[in-house]
Amino acid sequence: MGDWSIAFLERLYDLFRAAGVQEKRGKSHGVASRHSSADASEAKHFMSLLKQCLFQVFSSMDDKNFELALRCVENFLISETLPMAVKYASILCEAVCAARMHQDNGNHSPGLISLLPQLAKDLRNKSTGTILYRLRCIGGAVRQAGKDVAKYKKELFAVLEFALGDND
């Protein structure tokens, strides 16, 4: 699975980079709202498909290929901030950080163990856009991570305190 999974992720990154403003359903009526409603519906279906696909890809990887894919995701998230694709990046984090079966002690999240310290590192010196992007990624990362979230209680509280602080 390794050879094509990295190429698949690279193609997804290209889609993320090309993402425009995501449509939302409005409450207005008329011809224009039907077009917007269709665009919003298409975006919603794409996100649902993306989520299911990523969960299937990451959950079916063996440990070796998962490590390669995790490094690829980590490099992408740390090197680029794509505000227009923040929902997609959050879904990517949710999928890569979802709890995996471990031979010795049940579920664990190697994705969370790797990504959380990187996403939370040095937030004070980042732009507001990058901070918001990383917070959404962290939100996705913890959503399905299982019991490993408890190991990062201190770090998560620090991120929350920073985000809710009186700065900007």
Side-chain angles (χ1 to χ4, degrees):
M1 176 174 247
D3 292 341
W4 71 266
S5 61
I6 301 300
F8 172 74
L9 288 171
E10 291 295 336
R11 180 65 182 122
L12 280 180
Y13 303 154
D14 289 341
L15 289 173
F16 294 177
R17 290 179 191 110
V21 176
Q22 294 182 4
E23 302 291 336
K24 295 182 179 180
R25 288 185 193 249
K27 295 183 180 183
S28 63
H29 302 287
V31 175
S33 70
R34 276 183 258 152
H35 177 68
S36 293
S37 181
D39 290 345
S41 182
E42 185 177 315
K44 182 180 176 183
H45 291 302
F46 174 75
M47 282 195 292
S48 176
L49 181 63
L50 175 67
K51 186 174 185 174
Q52 291 300 319
C53 184
L54 286 171
F55 270 86
Q56 290 298 320
V57 167
F58 284 111
S59 68
S60 63
M61 286 182 180
D62 62 21
D63 289 342
K64 178 185 169 202
N65 287 319
F66 181 82
E67 277 297 317
L68 291 172
L70 176 59
R71 295 294 155 241
C72 180
V73 169
E74 184 179 333
N75 289 337
F76 170 73
L77 292 172
I78 299 307
S79 66
E80 298 188 43
T81 298
L82 305 171
M84 297 296 187
V86 69
K87 287 184 181 180
Y88 303 150
S90 178
I91 291 170
L92 176 64
C93 289
E94 183 177 355
V96 78
C97 293
R100 295 172 58 87
M101 289 300 293
H102 192 267
Q103 297 160 339
D104 299 337
N105 57 359
N107 292 336
H108 77 298
S109 177
L112 182 69
I113 292 166
S114 178
L115 286 184
L116 183 61
Q118 294 299 320
L119 291 171
K121 183 169 68 173
D122 202 29
L123 284 177
R124 294 192 189 291
N125 296 323
K126 304 291 182 196
S127 69
T128 302
T130 300
I131 292 168
L132 293 174
Y133 180 80
R134 290 196 177 181
L135 288 174
R136 289 287 298 265
C137 288
I138 290 169
V142 300
R143 199 167 286 129
Q144 303 280 335
K147 66 181 180 181
D148 279 348
V149 171
K151 295 177 185 174
Y152 291 97
K153 185 175 166 181
K154 182 179 174 185
E155 290 85 349
L156 290 169
F157 277 125
V159 168
L160 284 173
E161 284 179 355
F162 171 75
L164 298 173
D166 285 336
N167 339 3
D168 281 340

